[in-house]
Amino acid sequence: MLDFFISQYQNASFLQIILEFLVFVFGIASVVLAKKENIWVYPTGLIATVITTYLLYQAKYFGDMTMNAYYSLMSLYGWYKWSAKTNEPEIKITRTNMREKLIGLGLFGLTMVITYMVYKFFDYKLEIPNYIDIFTSGLFFTAMWYMALKKIENWTLWIIGDCIVVPLFAYRGLGMLSLQYFIFTILAVYGYLEWKKIILEKKV
């Protein structure tokens, strides 16, 4: 097991190792902060997604790179929505209504179409892992929008997506990312339970 994680970094530069370590740390910190409904979820998450975008560009994973660029933009949007400096009422943790469910479904479909087009633009030969990536991109992008609105369903989408990409990254030989998303899955379950508790307490 240890060889699996070490072997992929035998030919990696020191800069790449440092950047991947920063992504690992800031990515996990972001999920922990999201669970606690702390606005620092967005600056920490932004650092992770911006660095990941660069690393994926270097590795020529242009489809994944484009999605992480979208995640960076969504982090800025969420940061704005959660900020107390806006003139909008403070956002409370709630469940999605029918309108938000439909918008989420539309974002899910649109994101998959855009990701598919990115693969085609860079002349990718699409295989099963690529189609899985297209599907999880839709899940994650919609989850980020729901998180920006503090909708508990964001955790459900994170859990589903994380469970899918853990074996996918392992299959690709990306052991560190696989481990990171395994930890994300556990944290997302705790996040869901904590937000659910907050919703139930409001009803009492």
Side-chain angles (χ1 to χ4, degrees):
M1 179 64 74
L2 185 61
D3 290 341
F4 174 71
F5 289 102
I6 294 176
S7 61
Q8 62 179 306
Y9 295 104
Q10 288 178 347
N11 299 318
S13 67
F14 180 72
L15 176 62
Q16 180 184 344
I17 293 172
I18 291 297
L19 290 177
E20 288 198 25
F21 176 74
L22 290 174
V23 170
F24 185 84
V25 172
F26 281 101
I28 291 176
S30 177
V31 178
V32 171
L33 290 165
K35 183 173 74 74
K36 296 180 179 297
E37 199 185 349
N38 189 308
I39 195 170
W40 279 92
V41 55
Y42 287 109
T44 52
L46 188 60
I47 292 171
T49 54
V50 168
I51 296 176
T52 302
T53 300
Y54 170 76
L55 289 172
L56 290 171
Y57 170 77
Q58 292 292 322
K60 297 184 179 180
Y61 291 145
F62 298 117
D64 291 337
M65 177 202 74
T66 303
M67 285 313 306
N68 272 273
Y70 287 151
Y71 299 156
S72 300
L73 293 175
M74 284 302 296
S75 291
L76 291 173
Y77 173 73
W79 197 351
Y80 167 78
K81 293 292 288 185
W82 283 33
S83 174
K85 295 180 181 179
T86 66
N87 295 322
E88 301 177 19
E90 182 183 354
I91 302 174
K92 303 292 184 181
I93 294 174
T94 56
R95 297 185 181 278
T96 55
N97 56 36
M98 183 54 67
R99 176 177 174 274
E100 290 161 342
K101 283 183 171 65
L102 291 174
I103 293 175
L105 185 62
L107 281 175
F108 172 71
L110 180 61
T111 303
M112 287 197 297
V113 170
I114 292 174
T115 309
Y116 175 81
M117 291 173 63
V118 168
Y119 273 117
K120 286 297 185 181
F121 178 79
F122 286 104
D123 199 27
Y124 268 61
K125 180 183 178 182
L126 291 172
E127 299 177 351
I128 291 177
N130 302 116
Y131 286 108
I132 295 174
D133 179 52
I134 290 170
F135 178 76
T136 55
S137 294
L139 287 177
F140 289 147
F141 190 74
T142 308
M144 288 205 69
W145 183 67
Y146 280 155
M147 179 176 285
L149 300 179
K150 291 190 179 180
K151 301 299 178 180
I152 192 173
E153 286 82 359
N154 87 88
W155 292 115
T156 305
L157 297 181
W158 286 121
I159 292 167
I160 295 171
D162 290 344
C163 287
I164 294 172
V165 300
V166 166
L168 179 63
F169 284 135
Y171 170 79
R172 287 178 169 179
L174 302 172
M176 187 63 72
L177 275 177
S178 180
L179 175 61
Q180 182 182 35
Y181 275 84
F182 176 73
I183 297 173
F184 282 171
T185 307
I186 297 172
L187 293 174
V189 171
Y190 279 107
Y192 174 84
L193 293 174
E194 191 162 321
W195 281 32
K196 184 179 180 180
K197 181 180 177 181
I198 292 172
I199 291 174
L200 293 175
E201 287 175 348
K202 289 177 181 178
K203 292 181 178 180
V204 175

